[in-house]
Amino acid sequence: MNDFKNKKFYVTTPIYYPNYKLHIGHAYTTTLADYVSRYKKMQGYETMFLTGSDEHGQKIEDRAKEANEDTLKFVTKIIKDFKKLWLKLDIDYDLFIRTTDETHKEYVKESFTQLLKKDFIYKSKYSGLYCKSDEAYFTETQIKENKCPECGKELIVMEEESYFLKISAFKDWIKDELLNSDILKPKHRVNELVNNFVNDLQDLSVTRTSINWGIQINEDTSHVIYVWLDALQNYISALKYPESKFTIEEVWNKNSEVELLQLVGKEITRFHCIYWPIILKMKGYRKPSVLAHGWLISDDGDKMSKSKGNVVDPLELIKIYGSDEIKFYLVNNIVTGEDGKFSEELLIEMINGLLVNKYSNLVSRTDAMIKKYCKGIVPENKINYLPTKNLTIKLEKIREDYYQKMDNYEFSNSTKLLINYVEEINLYIDLTKPWKNSGEELNATLNTLVKEIFNVTTLLSSVLTTSYKKVYQWLSIKKKPSISLLDKDFKGVKLNKIEHLFERIKK
Ligand code: ME8
């Protein structure tokens, strides 16, 4: 392994709209961010993980009105639920940004003034087909039968005085960047984006006079900033907060060495991979690095979304199945970058098939054998036992592959390798048959089992963020998971009691 001591990693999720409670789709993105952030931390990186809420715009104001509440009070209540979800899901974020925070608002106002001074913003009139629900204009070529291509709702004609961002001036630049650099992963989404949006790229309307609930610009208080110019800049403004671990210059300057990962659902790649890189370029900053994942779809094959009424409440699921179980399903069973199904049935199948049968049973079996054959004390491995040597070679290879997948952000492939790691250890038990073995060979086997359970548990700890603690407690390890702990020899360690890591779920 390399030394990552002086390296830094900045990971972000979209800031979610506090118009409704979050559903399992939101939990998916945040779980991926948490997984990769913990992994980088284990490698020795200094990490910063940003999430938050996108609080301005008509939709939010409308929802507050429906509820007959003051808008800020309304969103503040919903945000309590956001934070509760992240707590119950054991998400270790560093900073929760709200776009209604003063620091963010000030930053966005100043930024607007600067872009205006640099002539990247100008005033004009806009008329276009607009989707109120997605808060976006669409061009004729993007739509069919006056319906929003993203949510299917009826579009309306909007005309208003507006400030515009000179996006179209960067059309060739962004096309080239998308095709030839790493702004967007997976690569197959690039063509989609270029064909659907870049070829027909127009200046972006960035203010509204028809909306009150937003950030007023200094230059003209009748205009508030349109949500995307407001929202996207959270990734910069957060770094001005006192709790921020990194500074704006450190992360966003062109020569920055901070590794960056911005996770988004595929429906907002347009904003993150066209407008956002252009905004950054206008400000003289580096390019973003975005991973667009697919959608969680329900059994009927539809995207899970509040407007379709087919959402699953993660808080309810956590109560029944536990947070690690849900996180593992999301990371492992949804192929990163593709759409994937979520249902309770599939979740139960995964819990019983992988977490209980393979992983939890491995730990229980090993615990029982060491307690039976060695009075609960891990024996020493004194010999060069061939099955152990063969196992070690295989597992080292899996580990290398694991690091590679993680560094490539192929999350579902990474956890599949860890399951494979567990399977190899199970096969090693079948092969060495400790119940028929004795003497130094038995000692070598049991010592190896504990070592490899510890290794795989350490790697799994980035997703099984609660359950790994049971194994650490079993082995009296008080330290935080770290790659530097791998391959520790547990000879002479007295095993503590351990309960089942995962319980079988009855259908
Ligand atoms: O778009 N499957 O907020 P939002 C997978 N405020 N992921 C899903 C999902 C699903 N079915 N449903 C939602 C916004 N998501 C803006 C973002 S960022 C500057 C502004 C996740 O509350 C996914 O990450 O509508 C998606 O991009 C995000 O939630 C949309 O959240």
Side-chain angles (χ1 to χ4, degrees):
M1 283 298 298
N2 300 327
D3 183 11
F4 295 101
K5 283 270 147 50
N6 295 316
K7 292 213 162 189
K8 297 186 177 186
F9 178 68
Y10 182 45
V11 61
T12 67
T13 70
I15 45 172
Y16 306 114
Y17 291 128
N19 45 356
Y20 294 100
K21 278 202 292 192
L22 297 179
H23 60 75
I24 191 86
H26 303 103
Y28 176 50
T29 319
T30 305
T31 294
L32 292 183
D34 189 56
Y35 177 47
V36 65
S37 165
R38 287 178 191 257
Y39 164 74
K40 293 280 182 185
K41 215 179 267 179
M42 265 211 304
Q43 284 185 310
Y45 277 75
E46 188 182 350
T47 60
M48 168 145 165
F49 172 3
L50 174 71
T51 189
S53 54
D54 184 2
E55 306 189 10
H56 293 126
Q58 194 60 47
K59 270 198 288 195
I60 310 266
E61 199 178 8
D62 288 350
R63 280 280 299 145
K65 273 205 189 112
E66 273 168 38
N68 217 356
E69 278 191 70
D70 166 76
T71 316
L72 190 61
K73 272 199 188 136
F74 173 78
V75 291
T76 303
K77 265 203 244 164
I78 295 196
I79 279 147
K80 271 200 190 133
D81 282 338
F82 280 25
K83 291 189 175 169
K84 181 173 165 198
L85 173 60
W86 303 145
L87 184 74
K88 297 277 176 199
L89 209 52
D90 194 22
I91 300 292
D92 190 20
Y93 59 85
D94 295 293
L95 207 157
F96 188 101
I97 187 169
R98 298 183 56 174
T99 54
T100 50
D101 291 336
E102 280 312 314
T103 310
H104 172 77
K105 289 200 290 193
E106 276 314 306
Y107 179 84
V108 172
K109 280 179 191 223
E110 272 169 35
S111 177
F112 187 92
T113 303
Q114 277 172 17
L115 292 171
L116 196 66
K117 276 192 192 147
K118 287 190 190 168
D119 276 338
F120 286 129
I121 288 180
Y122 63 93
K123 196 176 190 175
S124 180
K125 262 216 158 59
Y126 190 79
S127 162
L129 292 166
Y130 182 76
C131 172
K132 228 175 147 180
S133 181
D134 282 288
E135 301 188 25
Y137 281 99
F138 294 92
T139 58
E140 294 285 353
T141 51
Q142 291 163 355
I143 61 165
K144 267 192 222 138
E145 295 168 1
N146 209 38
K147 294 268 170 19
C148 170
E150 266 152 32
C151 70
K153 288 193 182 143
E154 199 76 22
L155 297 169
I156 53 166
V157 178
M158 279 264 278
E159 189 185 83
E160 59 181 306
E161 183 186 87
S162 172
Y163 284 87
F164 283 77
L165 197 61
K166 279 191 189 162
I167 294 286
S168 62
F170 294 85
K171 184 168 148 179
D172 293 336
W173 176 79
I174 191 67
K175 189 169 175 174
D176 186 56
E177 289 295 337
L178 280 168
L179 292 170
N180 301 311
S181 79
D182 272 341
I183 289 185
L184 172 59
K185 274 187 183 171
K187 269 280 176 209
H188 68 84
R189 297 231 176 271
V190 168
N191 284 337
E192 225 170 81
L193 208 59
V194 170
N195 295 336
N196 292 342
F197 297 106
V198 178
N199 287 333
D200 192 22
L201 198 59
Q202 295 177 7
D203 288 349
L204 181 71
S205 159
V206 289
T207 66
R208 292 282 180 277
T209 51
S210 50
I211 296 175
N212 297 315
W213 181 240
I215 303 174
Q216 282 181 348
I217 58 171
N218 290 327
E219 291 72 14
D220 182 344
T221 49
S222 65
H223 283 258
V224 305
I225 294 179
Y226 166 69
V227 285
W228 282 99
L229 184 64
D230 166 357
L232 287 166
Q233 293 190 86
N234 90 86
Y235 304 127
I236 310 178
S237 70
L239 303 168
K240 288 196 91 165
Y241 285 47
E243 312 94 285
S244 172
K245 290 176 171 172
F246 303 157
T247 64
I248 294 181
E249 289 67 35
E250 215 173 359
V251 173
W252 291 112
N253 274 355
K254 276 202 168 127
N255 56 359
S256 167
E257 288 185 355
V258 176
E259 277 177 41
L260 178 64
L261 178 65
Q262 303 205 260
L263 286 157
V264 299
K266 66 180 182 182
E267 80 291 351
I268 53 174
T269 36
R270 169 186 165 201
F271 302 101
H272 284 83
C273 298
I274 300 176
Y275 302 141
W276 176 226
I278 293 175
I279 294 168
L280 287 168
K281 183 159 175 71
M282 288 171 171
K283 291 161 121 2
Y285 288 147
R286 70 188 281 188
K287 283 169 279 195
S289 159
V290 176
L291 178 79
H293 63 66
W295 286 335
L296 257 64
I297 49 182
S298 57
D299 258 347
D300 52 17
D302 264 347
K303 178 194 177 193
M304 258 189 217
S305 73
K306 190 74 202 176
S307 55
K308 292 206 172 109
N310 59 354
V311 293
V312 175
D313 181 354
L315 281 169
E316 289 302 315
L317 284 181
I318 294 168
K319 271 192 227 153
I320 305 172
Y321 302 104
S323 59
D324 280 3
E325 288 85 339
I326 292 161
K327 289 195 287 191
F328 196 83
Y329 183 91
L330 293 175
V331 176
N332 185 70
N333 287 45
I334 312 289
V335 175
T336 317
E338 304 299 322
D339 291 350
K341 276 209 169 160
F342 183 90
S343 70
E344 284 191 57
E345 215 174 354
L346 291 169
L347 174 68
I348 294 171
E349 206 174 289
M350 185 286 298
I351 295 173
N352 291 344
L354 300 186
L355 297 180
V356 177
N357 287 356
K358 294 189 173 167
Y359 180 43
S360 189
N361 280 358
L362 167 68
V363 178
S364 304
R365 278 166 99 185
T366 303
D367 179 60
M369 287 191 291
I370 293 177
K371 285 180 180 156
K372 185 166 172 193
Y373 304 130
C374 311
K375 297 192 179 119
I377 295 174
V378 182
E380 186 177 355
N381 175 7
K382 288 187 188 151
I383 57 167
N384 214 350
Y385 187 40
L386 190 62
T388 303
K389 207 173 137 196
N390 290 341
L391 176 76
T392 309
I393 293 170
K394 275 189 204 149
L395 297 186
E396 271 174 4
K397 168 83 175 71
I398 298 179
R399 245 146 75 175
E400 284 313 312
D401 289 350
Y402 174 77
Y403 299 138
Q404 205 189 4
K405 297 293 175 211
M406 280 309 285
D407 294 343
N408 247 345
Y409 306 136
E410 292 178 49
F411 302 123
S412 55
N413 286 335
S414 78
T415 45
K416 288 197 175 81
L417 284 166
L418 298 184
I419 291 298
N420 191 217
Y421 202 106
V422 169
E423 284 165 347
E424 288 294 346
I425 310 174
N426 276 317
L427 281 175
Y428 171 78
I429 300 185
D430 297 343
L431 183 79
T432 55
K433 298 186 177 52
W435 51 93
K436 285 193 178 164
N437 219 335
S438 61
E440 291 309 328
E441 288 188 351
L442 175 64
N443 289 344
T445 304
L446 297 178
N447 178 286
T448 305
L449 285 176
V450 173
K451 181 199 276 185
E452 294 302 351
I453 287 173
F454 173 73
N455 286 343
V456 77
T457 299
T458 300
L459 297 177
L460 282 166
S461 71
S462 309
V463 57
L464 303 180
T465 58
T466 312
S467 332
Y468 89 85
K469 291 179 187 159
K470 291 184 192 167
V471 174
Y472 269 43
Q473 205 272 332
W474 178 55
L475 300 171
S476 304
I477 296 288
K478 299 208 168 64
K479 292 186 178 154
K480 290 224 161 96
S482 156
I483 303 286
S484 64
L485 296 178
L486 294 185
D487 288 327
K488 188 175 161 51
D489 189 344
F490 287 89
K491 70 175 175 195
V493 170
K494 177 141 179 61
L495 297 179
N496 293 314
K497 265 212 171 117
I498 186 163
E499 40 176 313
H500 288 158
L501 285 181
F502 296 98
E503 294 295 344
R504 181 172 308 282
I505 313 268
K506 289 197 193 85
K507 283 200 187 176

